[in-house]
Amino acid sequence: MPRAMKIDWDVPIRMDDGLVVRADVFRPDDGKHPAILSYGPYGKGLAFQEGYKSAWEIMARENPDALAGSSNRYQNWEVVDPEKWVPEGYVCVRVDSRGAGRSPGYLAHNNARETRDLCECIEWTAAQPWCSGKVGMNGISYYASNQWRAAAAKPPHLAAICAWEGWNDAYRESARHGGIICSFRKNWQDMQVKTVQHGVGERGKKNPNTGELVCGPETLGEADLAKNREDMWQAFLSRELDDGYYRERSADLSKVSVPLLTAANWGGQGLHTRGNFEGFVGAASKEKWLEVHGGSHWAPFYTDYGRKLQLEFFDHFLKGARNGWDKRPRVLLNVRHPGERFVQRTENEWPLARTQWTRFYLRPDGMRLSPQPAGGAKTLSYEPMGDGVTFSMVAERETEITGPSALKLFASSGTVDADFFIVLRIFAPDGKEVLFQGALDPKTPVAQGWLRASHRKLHRERSLPHRPYHTHDEKQPLKPGAPVALDIEIWPTCIAVPKGYRIALSIRGRDYEHDEAPASLSNMKNPMKGCGPFTHDDETDRPPQIFAGKVTLHFERQPYLLLPIIP
């Protein structure tokens, strides 16, 4: 096994349009080895410890094994630690994406140009004298989401991908939940991308290992920097319907055929969770595995648990190791219990074949969830900007909910539209809500779903009873006071509900918020109150004169919550 690590800083990689992006290459000092490649906008020279201070401190405190066995000098946000991967016989290639860090160019995320750049970087890597010709991609979030698109483009030397907590549908998982714009991207570009744009120069950080400026040698003015980047927020805000812009930035999963490991977080509601499950189900790959965990968005990737999983996967597909990976069950779940307790269980498919898809009807008499529907024609109204309405039931025995859920509603509004925020919640016998560690927010409910009523049109071929799929290709305004049928997707989740606990469903017209003190992270703009940074509070998208109108639920057609009960 190689011991010494050689580092090549700022290696130039020429793209097909002549632009040169820059990569740092960490490699064993001899021989040919498979490569693990990452490509993204966070600045390859920015130390994790400096750029994401509070996240690093939380990981150091709660997951000491993530830091052990490394000097951590080369740690970067959301990509592998070369000090732990190079000794295992891998080359680590970190590329600053076009327009970010030390790579010049126009900064635009997830577009066709970026996908081409990725493919070029993969093929360049495979051709280097230190590479065996096999290239894998690994990384979290941005470094995961672009793997789906790269794989769909089929570069010849991409041999396997590990998409760890990464979305793939730019519209449904990133920009607009159920048609409602999510403010995360606006704050993300301000906090995490503009700060490391190429040309920030002297105003930015320095690489602690080389002393070079993270954002390149030149320092540009704010006006020039703005000209050199797409305003992602305005691009989303100006496009309410799903169109070619979003499709360009989404993967055609039917074209993904490489071996893949997709790792989801039950607490990733609002950005990644759905994409990891949809990726597993939708990818054409014959060799594909799904892992699902809890905990923070970043730490499980770096822990001994996460790294061992990734290494076994890549050893098998990049090195040909006969390590039994191909005999593993296709699904590994960390089943969630209250108190952040997880129990590992293997499965063979997703959703689980033995799922008992169970309807629980919404009953206004006693605000109950019940296996039996209510009789009679009743209505119930609420003010959308308040706490909405909550229906619940007591678990008569331990009840496991694992999988996607769906809600069938019949509703009307006093205006031409309404936004529906759906929250699946658990309450202890003493009445206190049980909150869970989310990917970013330390206190979150069990699961969430969203739908704008004017976006209720279903895609007939792609919709499933447990996973409604909306076309988002036209608006269907409401007639004030006239009820319409709504099918609302609730993102996949997992919770083993103890006997005597209460399972609850809240229907609101605004984001969920818990009653406890908000949390914060140094790289996030807003205080987190239960939804993390995935809020929906833009008045341009949600003018109060429309979305604050009274909403009425109608019960004569027996609305219900469809839950995935595991026997």
Side-chain angles (χ1 to χ4, degrees):
M1 180 175 286
R3 297 185 184 179
M5 181 165 75
K6 183 167 174 52
I7 307 174
D8 304 315
W9 303 105
D10 265 354
V11 180
I13 307 176
R14 186 173 296 277
M15 301 294 100
D16 59 4
D17 63 352
L19 184 122
V20 172
V21 298
R22 299 275 171 183
D24 292 340
V25 179
F26 304 83
R27 56 190 174 92
D29 64 357
D30 60 355
K32 288 177 176 281
H33 305 275
I36 301 293
L37 182 135
S38 57
Y39 173 108
Y42 295 146
K44 62 184 174 59
L46 180 65
F48 189 146
Q49 299 91 318
E50 189 172 13
Y52 298 84
K53 187 172 184 292
S54 56
W56 178 265
E57 289 168 353
I58 292 166
M59 183 166 73
R61 182 175 68 245
E62 296 180 359
N63 305 91
D65 61 319
L67 279 63
S70 172
S71 73
N72 297 299
R73 285 178 58 190
Y74 309 107
Q75 286 278 22
N76 230 193
W77 176 245
E78 299 188 330
V79 294
V80 301
D81 177 2
E83 284 188 274
K84 291 186 176 181
W85 282 75
V86 170
E88 299 285 352
Y90 288 92
V91 180
C92 298
V93 181
R94 289 178 181 167
V95 187
D96 271 340
S97 59
R98 182 181 291 246
R102 294 183 68 83
S103 294
Y106 184 74
L107 183 65
H109 305 289
N110 315 131
N111 61 0
R113 179 65 257 179
E114 180 177 277
T115 303
R116 280 204 300 281
D117 287 352
L118 259 168
C119 294
E120 302 248 329
C121 290
I122 289 164
E123 294 306 299
W124 175 89
T125 298
Q128 298 311 299
W130 36 254
C131 185
S132 68
K134 286 191 180 290
V135 181
M137 293 183 72
N138 195 10
I140 316 173
S141 192
Y142 197 103
Y143 299 102
S145 67
N146 60 24
Q147 293 179 42
W148 300 111
R149 295 189 319 280
K154 297 186 181 298
H157 290 91
L158 180 62
I161 63 171
C162 175
W164 197 278
E165 297 191 36
W167 55 269
N168 55 57
D169 188 317
Y171 186 94
R172 290 161 185 79
E173 296 153 14
S174 172
R176 289 179 171 272
H177 299 136
I180 310 164
I181 200 164
C182 177
S183 301
F184 171 69
R185 281 298 185 194
K186 173 172 61 174
N187 298 332
W188 171 79
Q189 195 169 35
D190 285 346
M191 299 288 286
Q192 291 181 244
V193 180
K194 288 181 185 178
T195 51
V196 286
Q197 184 180 349
H198 183 80
V200 168
E202 294 285 355
R203 293 194 299 277
K205 308 284 189 188
K206 287 189 174 176
N207 183 325
N209 296 297
T210 65
E212 298 286 349
L213 293 165
V214 168
C215 302
E218 58 183 337
T219 303
L220 302 177
E222 289 298 336
D224 286 329
L225 287 171
K227 266 190 276 183
N228 280 351
R229 68 174 178 258
E230 178 190 48
D231 185 334
M232 186 183 229
W233 177 246
Q234 285 305 316
F236 287 177
L237 202 55
S238 63
R239 293 175 172 88
E240 185 178 338
L241 299 177
D242 191 2
D243 63 7
Y245 177 90
Y246 296 111
R247 291 305 92 211
E248 180 184 331
R249 289 156 177 78
S250 304
D252 180 347
L253 294 170
S254 70
K255 293 180 179 174
V256 175
S257 56
V258 295
L260 71 91
L261 169 61
T262 171
N265 188 329
W266 300 122
Q269 305 280 323
L271 185 56
H272 297 304
T273 303
R274 182 185 188 274
N276 285 109
F277 289 106
E278 291 288 312
F280 176 73
V281 172
S285 307
K286 289 186 171 60
E287 297 170 301
K288 57 183 178 179
W289 284 263
L290 168 68
E291 183 274 349
V292 199
H293 53 268
S296 72
H297 172 51
W298 58 93
F301 178 83
Y302 294 96
T303 58
D304 291 343
Y305 164 81
R307 194 168 55 88
K308 182 172 181 287
L309 200 68
Q310 297 156 38
L311 274 168
E312 286 181 10
F313 170 73
F314 283 118
D315 282 353
H316 182 73
F317 288 108
L318 300 189
K319 293 181 175 181
R322 294 184 177 179
N323 58 8
W325 180 274
D326 54 327
K327 306 289 193 294
R328 290 177 71 110
R330 291 304 175 103
V331 176
L332 174 61
L333 303 181
N334 288 276
V335 178
R336 185 166 61 174
H337 296 249
E340 301 303 321
R341 187 169 69 86
F342 294 90
V343 178
Q344 269 195 19
R345 190 175 75 214
T346 57
E347 300 284 354
N348 296 309
E349 71 290 306
W350 182 268
L352 308 189
R354 67 183 183 283
T355 304
Q356 294 175 350
W357 300 102
T358 308
R359 291 185 180 189
F360 294 96
Y361 293 91
L362 279 56
R363 295 187 55 159
D365 52 320
M367 302 303 288
R368 292 181 292 152
L369 292 170
S370 170
Q372 288 81 38
K378 290 188 177 178
T379 61
L380 185 64
S381 297
Y382 63 89
E383 298 293 339
M385 296 304 128
D387 292 333
V389 292
T390 299
F391 301 84
S392 67
M393 62 184 171
V394 175
E396 295 175 358
R397 62 186 71 84
E398 182 174 89
T399 303
E400 182 185 328
I401 299 168
T402 297
S405 305
L407 178 63
K408 181 79 168 185
L409 282 185
F410 303 93
S412 61
S413 170
T415 68
V416 295
D417 214 340
D419 284 345
F420 291 84
F421 293 74
I422 310 305
V423 194
L424 204 55
R425 308 164 74 180
I426 304 296
F427 291 85
D430 64 2
K432 186 174 172 60
E433 184 169 9
V434 182
L435 298 170
F436 299 87
Q437 170 71 54
L440 295 168
D441 193 322
K443 294 175 181 176
T444 65
V446 175
Q448 297 187 68
W450 306 263
L451 183 65
R452 175 159 290 173
S454 60
H455 285 242
R456 64 190 178 275
K457 179 182 169 188
L458 288 170
H459 192 298
R460 291 187 181 278
E461 287 77 36
R462 298 192 67 171
S463 284
L464 299 165
H466 58 264
R467 200 288 322 270
Y469 190 96
H470 300 90
T471 60
H472 300 292
D473 61 357
E474 64 170 317
K475 290 186 73 171
Q476 298 177 334
L478 301 180
K479 291 176 182 168
V484 294
L486 303 168
D487 295 274
I488 305 176
E489 175 186 8
I490 301 172
W491 284 19
T493 192
C494 172
I495 178 63
V497 183
K499 179 183 177 181
Y501 278 56
R502 191 171 285 274
I503 301 167
L505 173 84
S506 291
I507 302 168
R508 305 158 60 93
R510 63 182 177 95
D511 285 309
Y512 165 90
E513 290 185 3
H514 56 61
D515 297 328
E516 302 185 22
S520 61
L521 284 171
S522 57
N523 57 304
M524 299 291 159
K525 187 170 278 189
N526 60 304
M528 299 185 291
K529 303 173 185 176
C531 294
F534 309 114
T535 55
H536 308 78
D537 51 11
D538 185 84
E539 287 201 354
T540 310
D541 184 65
R542 304 188 68 223
Q545 64 270 27
I546 293 175
F547 294 98
K550 185 177 283 188
V551 171
T552 301
L553 304 180
H554 299 256
F555 294 90
E556 63 273 16
R557 291 171 64 188
Q558 302 170 347
Y560 61 86
L561 170 65
L562 185 71
L563 287 181
I565 305 298
I566 308 302

